[in-house]
């Protein structure tokens, strides 16, 4: 198959393929325990073997995929211990990013975050799991991008890639959100330039989500 060297926005094909597979992991298109094959992804994505092979190598190195030997690659099944470690790391890093973002946020930035949150609410109302996961990721990604802390943001991105695949399999339906909606609390904190409140809002948001995921995984393991 003949491949163009660049994809959307002028990105190299290998980067486009990597991002597409990454999104498939983040947003539940690939489930925990599922086998991942080069041939299957080549057919699904209509791309060549070389960029798929490179993407799988990168994602395995990042811990998003597991190499089991004999060329077998799967989406990892999270243990409760692993989930607890991810939860601890998120609680340490993400509130700090929110606090830093609060110091730099503009009204335009808040408007962007609010528009993403509206789309997220619409996905919940429609019980659209894939869209919910994508918009929730977009919200946090946009927020943390304001922090001007590339190393911390990169670490958080890696954490999301590790727990993301478990969300769709565990959260079969979108149950009502906890009260209050911490995204709304966060937006108010950003408007008021209250970094302490922004930090607490994200800490609560992370805790709600990860505790809920832990409860579901623990129940599934019984």
């Amino acid at each position: 198959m003949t491949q163009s060297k660049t994809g959307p926005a002028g990105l190299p094909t290998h980067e486009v393929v990597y991002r597409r597979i990454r999104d498939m992991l983040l947003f539940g298109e690939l489930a925990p325990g599922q086998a991942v094959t080069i041939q299957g992804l080549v057919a699904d994505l209509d791309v060549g073997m070389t960029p798929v092979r490179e993407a799988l190598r990168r994602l395995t190195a990042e811990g998003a995929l597991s190499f089991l030997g004999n060329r077998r690659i799967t989406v990892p099944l999270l243990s409760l211990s692993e989930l607890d470690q991810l939860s601890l790391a998120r609680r340490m890093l993400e509130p700090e990013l929110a606090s830093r973002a609060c110091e730099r946020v503009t009204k335009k930035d808040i408007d962007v975050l609010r528009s993403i949150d509206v789309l997220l609410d619409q996905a919940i109302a429609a019980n659209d799991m894939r869209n919910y996961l994508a918009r929730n990721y977009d919200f946090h990604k946009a927020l943390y991008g304001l922090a001007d802390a590339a190393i911390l943001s990169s670490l958080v991105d890696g954490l999301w890639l590790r727990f993301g695949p478990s969300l769709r399999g565990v959260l079969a339906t979108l149950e009502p959100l906890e009260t209050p909606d911490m995204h709304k609390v966060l937006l108010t904190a950003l408007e008021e330039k209250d970094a302490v409140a922004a930090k607490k809002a994200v800490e609560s948001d992370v805790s709600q989500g990860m505790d809920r995921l832990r409860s579901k995984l623990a129940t599934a393991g019984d």
Side-chain angles (χ1 to χ4, degrees):
M1 181 183 298
T2 302
Q3 285 283 308
S4 62
K5 293 185 179 180
T6 60
L11 291 172
T13 300
H14 67 85
E15 183 66 22
V16 174
V17 172
Y18 166 79
R19 293 186 185 193
R20 179 67 186 95
I21 299 173
R22 194 174 187 279
D23 285 353
M24 293 170 72
L25 287 161
L26 277 169
F27 309 141
E29 295 176 50
L30 296 173
Q34 179 177 342
V36 178
T37 67
I38 293 174
Q39 293 83 357
L41 289 170
V42 165
D44 289 344
L45 303 179
D46 191 25
V47 294
M49 293 183 67
T50 299
V52 169
R53 187 179 291 112
E54 182 177 338
L56 294 183
R57 192 159 44 234
R58 285 176 66 182
L59 289 163
T60 300
E62 292 170 352
L65 293 171
S66 294
F67 179 69
L68 303 180
N70 296 323
R71 299 184 179 180
R72 292 183 300 142
I73 299 174
T74 65
V75 182
L77 287 165
L78 277 184
S79 68
L80 289 177
S81 173
E82 290 168 335
L83 185 65
D84 287 344
Q85 293 174 61
L86 290 169
S87 180
L88 174 62
R90 289 192 67 198
R91 288 180 170 109
M92 293 175 66
L93 294 175
E94 294 185 45
E96 175 62 25
L97 284 169
S99 176
R100 294 185 182 211
C102 192
E103 298 170 1
R104 298 168 174 81
V105 72
T106 66
K107 183 181 183 304
K108 183 178 179 181
D109 295 328
I110 294 172
D111 289 342
V112 169
L113 289 168
R114 197 180 301 281
S115 67
I116 297 172
D117 196 48
V118 168
L119 295 175
L120 191 155
D121 288 341
Q122 291 173 352
I124 293 173
N127 198 35
D128 183 345
M129 180 63 71
R130 203 277 180 195
N131 227 358
Y132 164 75
L133 294 175
R135 300 295 79 79
N136 189 52
Y137 175 80
D138 288 346
F139 183 91
H140 285 266
K141 180 82 170 176
L143 172 67
Y144 303 152
L146 301 174
D148 192 26
I151 294 174
L152 296 180
S153 294
S154 177
L155 290 171
V156 167
D157 230 25
L159 298 176
W160 277 66
L161 194 54
R162 285 176 176 264
F163 75 81
S166 296
L167 291 175
R168 187 161 188 168
V170 171
L171 304 178
T173 60
L174 292 172
E175 300 169 5
L177 291 175
E178 299 282 347
T179 301
D181 181 339
M182 299 315 300
H183 283 190
K184 308 297 187 296
V185 175
L186 170 65
L187 288 167
T188 298
L190 294 175
E191 289 175 330
E192 296 175 354
K193 290 284 189 175
D194 187 338
V196 173
K199 191 171 185 176
K200 289 181 178 178
V202 168
E203 184 174 3
S204 295
D205 187 50
V206 169
S207 295
Q208 286 178 2
M210 296 302 279
D211 290 350
R212 184 179 179 190
L213 180 54
R214 192 187 197 287
S215 176
K216 294 287 186 178
L217 286 178
T219 301
D222 289 344

